[in-house]
């Protein structure tokens, strides 16, 4: 049984930082992309950032590039999201997601491309 468990969320003042962690268990995550989505109240779930197993290359939504850094520790089956310069518009439930990379090694950014999800963790940025 696959489990993804997020941690590290909370309340932070605008301009502050948080570091999210997602620990995955239940299978071998070799060749799995792992990353993050977020969903604000009343909004669609949106891609944030992810890391490919094949190359270790991170990639980002344009809305967070430059302030967020995604990384992974394969030995720990853990993906991280370092969030700096947080803004109120970053307030959302953040979800960890993972799925096996396809044969062509495409960059996955859509909800439907990820089979495994955490329960989500709240990040609130105050004005």
């Amino acid at each position: 049984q696959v489990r993804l468990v997020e941690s590290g969320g909370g309340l932070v003042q605008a301009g502050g930082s948080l570091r999210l962690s997602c620990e995955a268990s239940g299978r071998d995550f070799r060749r799995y992309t792992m990353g993050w989505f977020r969903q604000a109240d009343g909004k669609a779930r949106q891609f944030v950032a992810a890391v490919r197993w094949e190359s270790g290359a991170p990639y980002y939504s344009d809305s967070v590039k430059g302030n967020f850094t995604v990384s992974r520790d394969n030995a720990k089956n853990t993906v991280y999201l370092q969030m700096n310069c947080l803004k109120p518009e970053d307030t959302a439930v953040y979800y960890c997601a993972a799925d096996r990379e396809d044969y062509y090694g495409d960059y996955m950014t859509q909800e439907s491309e990820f089979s495994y999800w955490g329960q989500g963790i709240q990040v609130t940025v105050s004005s």
Side-chain angles (χ1 to χ4, degrees), residues 106-125:
D106 292 339
Y107 292 86
M108 299 183 293
T109 60
Q110 303 298 312
E111 287 184 71
S112 61
E113 295 178 297
F114 291 85
S115 296
Y116 304 106
W117 294 85
Q119 291 298 306
I121 189 165
Q122 180 70 45
V123 171
T124 301
V125 184

Side-chain angles (χ1 to χ4, degrees), residues 46-107:
Q46 296 181 321
F47 173 75
V48 176
V51 186
R52 290 161 52 86
W53 182 92
E54 178 267 332
S55 63
Y59 54 101
Y60 302 89
S61 165
D62 288 342
S63 65
V64 304
K65 188 175 182 180
N67 292 324
F68 288 16
T69 302
V70 64
S71 61
R72 68 192 293 172
D73 185 337
N74 290 335
K76 297 180 180 179
N77 292 326
T78 299
V79 63
Y80 305 95
L81 185 67
Q82 178 68 45
M83 304 183 292
N84 298 325
C85 302
L86 284 163
K87 304 172 183 177
E89 51 262 43
D90 295 317
T91 295
V93 176
Y94 283 69
Y95 296 90
C96 181
D99 209 344
R100 189 169 184 173
E101 295 162 0
D102 65 23
Y103 181 82
Y104 303 99
D106 292 339
Y107 292 86

